[in-house]
Amino acid sequence: MLTHIQGRTYYLPGPVNIGVYLYPEGGAAVIDTGLDDESGRRVLKALRAADALPLRNIVNTHSHADHCGGNAFLQKRTEALTWAAPLEAAVIENPYLEPFYLSGGDPFPALKNKFLMAKPSRVDRRLESENTGPEPLRVVPLPGHAPEQVGVLTPDAVLFCADAFFSGATLDKYYLPYFARVQPALTTLEKLATFEADFFVPSHGELTTDPGPVVAANKTRLTAVSEHILALLAEPHSREDLVARIAGDKGIALNTDQYFLSTAAVAAHLAYLAEGGLVRHRFEGGRLIWQRATGTP
């Protein structure tokens, strides 16, 4: 069932919190659709129970499978328009690209699972810039976790902030949260620290009126991971060496999905450190090796 937040804004709590806005003239928009057909079915059932049909718009905050996996089900059963940023739209329409970019080539069968590869679905409208979206919803760029991730602000001052930050419980469970781009993620966290809204709804975590502490915790963790990698690079390591060292240092039990997400997260931190001139790479024995730049404290 839908949970009321404020005004005409609701959400469907779950492993992925799904936002819902009820139009004054009738019908609804949803922000994200969850992991799979079952999630899409749950959305439709909740809207029907609230007498909130038809579903008019779907806004995907980003292209990860747990945020767009219900699209295909809903598109078959409604005439809703689907909205996403251009780069995210490319993956939503071609979900093979998610395990492809994580593996760096044709993904082997274990990576072709519903957690990394949603059913393909169409995107009808591109969110080209801030405030381009289905009125009266306001699109808010929140890049970092995904390259063109967006949040959605409703007229009721409720911000659905996607995976811009993770709950304290998630940070406790996963030392190395997945952010595709570190500097944009830090900028997004700074933006959210001063963003004016009455309520903030992360995709994974609890509704809050004050995201300050959890935003600060995410910023601290991102900085700590970069510092950890920089410390390890006092000695030369490959990216895979770094993943193994961090997993060992922090007691991370890696499965296939987590290994590739961790490898990609480490790559993002290496790019961030390299852009700051703090690390250098070289080739040694057929391996790409990273090391702290000379003179870096």
Side-chain angles (χ1 to χ4, degrees), residues 9 88 121 145 157-158 163 175 228 240 250:
T9 304
E88 306 302 323
S121 59
H145 174 70
V158 179
D163 288 346
Y175 169 76
H228 188 176
E240 290 71 22
K250 300 300 178 179

Side-chain angles (χ1 to χ4, degrees), residues 45 52 57-58 60 71 108 141 147 158 171-172 186 217 238 260 283:
K45 182 179 179 181
N57 290 289
I58 297 166
N60 289 136
N71 284 15
F108 58 90
V158 179
L171 293 178
D172 288 343
L186 291 168
S238 69
F260 281 96
F283 291 93

